[in-house]
Amino acid sequence: MSGKADPRQPGEGTTSTTSRTRLDRGRGALGPALELVHTGRAPTRAVLTAELGVTRATAGAVAAELEALGLIQVDARPSAPSGSQGRPSHRLHLAEDGPVALAAQVHADGFRAALVALGGRIVATAPGCEPVDADPAKVLGSVVDAGARLLSETGRRCVGAGLAVPSAVAEPEGLALNPLHLAWPAGSPVREIFAEQVRAAGITGPAFAANDVNLAALAEHRHGAGRGSRDLLCVATGHRGVGGALVLDGRLHSGSSGLALEVGHLTVHPEGRPCHCGGRGCLDVEADPMAFLITAGRAPGPEVSLLKQADDLIRHESADPGVRAAVKLLIDRLGLGLAGLVNILNPDRIILGGLHRTLLEADPERLRAVVADRSLWGRSGSVPILACGLDHNSLVGAAELAWQPVLDDPLRALAAA
């Protein structure tokens, strides 16, 4: 160690060393802190301090580091709400111009690409309505190209990419096992194909793929109607078919290989329509938009998606006897399926998406009564049944996949990206 005098002014080295010590002590808290702000659970530095269980100084150092990384903004001047007592705290905001994740969704009627910032905020979106080719590489190439254009137009930094598909995705290989409504080959390696397209487009960061309803549930749990739930059941129907997902203690329950909660193949009408899976009367074909249109006596048209056609009928032609009868029948089918799931899973909240959200809004009392009547002891009547709260929740969930490495370790993930 040198014997030369330190040229710094008194207190200068001490302050710098103390700040570095606090930051070093708080580096392990960067990820948890970012997740708290990301999910809206730490709106101020005081709340962040309490949630992390650290000192005010350490929380301040952590917030300053996240701000330096371009992920959050800390109010320079703390303020307190009118009439409140005690020391005002610095408010924490997600950076308006921070990095984004590329989110992609493929469905029976086309695809959509989006850029999603922290907090689940969609920055830009680009829909595509081209027919989905039987070769997954073609449509995935189109959706990635659309995402690359959005990145170029906005000039945003990208942390990674996530893909939502209407199929169970087997882990760890990322294979789409049953893309029944896309005509893709069973077992298509969608994650590998998507990752190759992302790399070919020059987009940085890792690439992920998962089932669309799983991702919708993840997004709703973090940013929507599922906030605060411990055991969250999500059931939804989008363009075709019915999917389900379960979030336990904040994490998706995907089973041993990613294939849990294929609720679309619960039988709710044993003498009902033949299902793509080989069964008969499954939720997949008894409670999706196509089933509604057929039950209502309407021929599906090519102009807009099946989901929009069914939604429009319920919202704008509710006085039509055929529409009213179709609403009642699909609510009864859906309620029977939900009651069976409640008996098995005992969730503390159910959220419904797509056409199921519209059915709930059309006659909430009937749906809740069917679920209660068909459940053990009628106790599922006390389980809250709510509508999903996010637009494009599968896209937001796909972005959550890409954001997760950043939430786990911001320094390492951003350095890699």
Side-chain angles (χ1 to χ4, degrees), residues 211-384:
N211 171 262
D212 54 1
V213 180
N214 275 355
L215 297 180
L218 180 62
E220 291 286 345
H221 187 268
R222 291 183 175 180
H223 307 293
R227 271 182 171 175
S229 172
R230 180 174 177 177
D231 301 316
L232 176 68
L233 172 64
C234 175
V235 176
T237 177
H239 296 263
R240 291 291 297 272
V242 175
L246 184 66
V247 179
L248 300 176
D249 288 327
R251 295 190 175 275
L252 279 171
H253 174 69
S254 56
S256 61
S257 57
L259 308 180
L261 271 292
E262 278 292 306
V263 305
H265 301 290
L266 286 173
T267 300
V268 293
H269 185 206
E271 292 78 37
R273 300 180 178 90
C275 183
H276 316 278
C277 71
R280 183 175 286 275
C282 298
L283 266 180
D284 219 47
V285 292
E286 296 289 342
D288 78 338
M290 179 65 84
F292 180 82
L293 292 171
I294 293 172
T295 304
R298 304 300 177 92
E303 299 82 12
V304 295
S305 71
L306 297 174
L307 175 59
K308 181 166 176 47
Q309 292 176 60
D311 267 346
D312 286 347
L313 275 180
I314 297 173
R315 296 182 189 281
H316 305 303
E317 298 188 39
S318 58
D320 182 278
V323 173
R324 285 205 310 271
V327 167
K328 291 180 180 178
L329 183 60
L330 260 72
I331 284 177
D332 291 348
R333 299 276 192 258
L334 175 61
L336 180 60
L338 292 178
L341 290 168
V342 167
N343 290 339
I344 297 168
L345 301 174
N346 189 30
D348 61 23
R349 192 179 309 175
I350 300 170
I351 57 173
L352 302 179
L355 180 64
H356 294 165
R357 175 172 64 178
T358 311
L359 291 170
L360 172 65
E361 292 168 350
D363 196 345
E365 296 309 316
R366 184 182 184 92
L367 180 59
R368 292 180 179 123
V370 172
V371 174
D373 182 60
R374 294 290 191 143
S375 67
L376 292 173
W377 313 293
R379 289 188 59 85
S380 61
S382 64
V383 179

Side-chain angles (χ1 to χ4, degrees), residues 6-383:
D6 192 331
R8 291 173 293 190
Q9 297 297 316
E12 193 175 315
T14 302
T15 301
S16 177
T17 301
T18 302
S19 297
R20 284 198 302 270
T21 300
R22 287 171 181 158
L23 180 56
D24 289 342
R25 191 178 299 144
R27 283 198 189 278
L30 285 176
L34 181 60
E35 183 167 347
L36 287 167
V37 182
H38 171 61
T39 55
R41 290 177 290 156
T44 67
R45 208 166 71 182
V47 176
L48 184 68
T49 301
E51 290 288 336
L52 293 177
V54 298
T55 65
R56 286 201 303 267
T58 298
V62 168
E65 178 72 358
L66 292 174
E67 186 171 36
L69 290 171
L71 298 171
I72 72 169
Q73 294 174 330
V74 183
D75 276 353
R77 296 181 179 179
S79 59
S82 177
S84 65
Q85 297 181 350
R87 177 186 295 182
S89 181
H90 296 270
R91 294 199 67 81
L92 306 177
H93 307 278
L94 294 167
E96 284 290 324
D97 57 352
V100 295
L102 169 61
Q105 181 181 12
V106 178
H107 50 74
D109 296 308
F111 66 81
R112 185 176 291 271
L115 305 183
V116 184
L118 282 166
R121 180 171 61 90
I122 295 179
V123 172
T125 182
C129 295
E130 67 180 51
V132 178
D133 195 273
D135 178 3
K138 290 186 178 179
V139 69
L140 293 183
S142 295
V143 74
V144 170
D145 286 345
R149 286 193 297 273
L150 293 176
L151 287 169
S152 176
E153 291 166 2
T154 60
R156 293 295 189 107
R157 182 183 181 187
C158 185
V159 300
L163 170 67
V165 293
S167 167
V169 178
E171 299 294 347
E173 302 90 348
L175 308 179
L177 290 191
N178 60 339
L180 301 174
H181 305 295
L182 298 180
W184 288 354
S188 295
V190 291
R191 182 180 300 150
E192 179 182 340
I193 295 170
F194 182 60
E196 289 173 354
Q197 299 283 2
V198 167
R199 286 193 296 270
I203 298 172
T204 57
F208 306 88
N211 171 262
D212 54 1
V213 180
N214 275 355
L215 297 180
L218 180 62
E220 291 286 345
H221 187 268
R222 291 183 175 180
H223 307 293
R227 271 182 171 175
S229 172
R230 180 174 177 177
D231 301 316
L232 176 68
L233 172 64
C234 175
V235 176
T237 177
H239 296 263
R240 291 291 297 272
V242 175
L246 184 66
V247 179
L248 300 176
D249 288 327
R251 295 190 175 275
L252 279 171
H253 174 69
S254 56
S256 61
S257 57
L259 308 180
L261 271 292
E262 278 292 306
V263 305
H265 301 290
L266 286 173
T267 300
V268 293
H269 185 206
E271 292 78 37
R273 300 180 178 90
C275 183
H276 316 278
C277 71
R280 183 175 286 275
C282 298
L283 266 180
D284 219 47
V285 292
E286 296 289 342
D288 78 338
M290 179 65 84
F292 180 82
L293 292 171
I294 293 172
T295 304
R298 304 300 177 92
E303 299 82 12
V304 295
S305 71
L306 297 174
L307 175 59
K308 181 166 176 47
Q309 292 176 60
D311 267 346
D312 286 347
L313 275 180
I314 297 173
R315 296 182 189 281
H316 305 303
E317 298 188 39
S318 58
D320 182 278
V323 173
R324 285 205 310 271
V327 167
K328 291 180 180 178
L329 183 60
L330 260 72
I331 284 177
D332 291 348
R333 299 276 192 258
L334 175 61
L336 180 60
L338 292 178
L341 290 168
V342 167
N343 290 339
I344 297 168
L345 301 174
N346 189 30
D348 61 23
R349 192 179 309 175
I350 300 170
I351 57 173
L352 302 179
L355 180 64
H356 294 165
R357 175 172 64 178
T358 311
L359 291 170
L360 172 65
E361 292 168 350
D363 196 345
E365 296 309 316
R366 184 182 184 92
L367 180 59
R368 292 180 179 123
V370 172
V371 174
D373 182 60
R374 294 290 191 143
S375 67
L376 292 173
W377 313 293
R379 289 188 59 85
S380 61
S382 64
V383 179

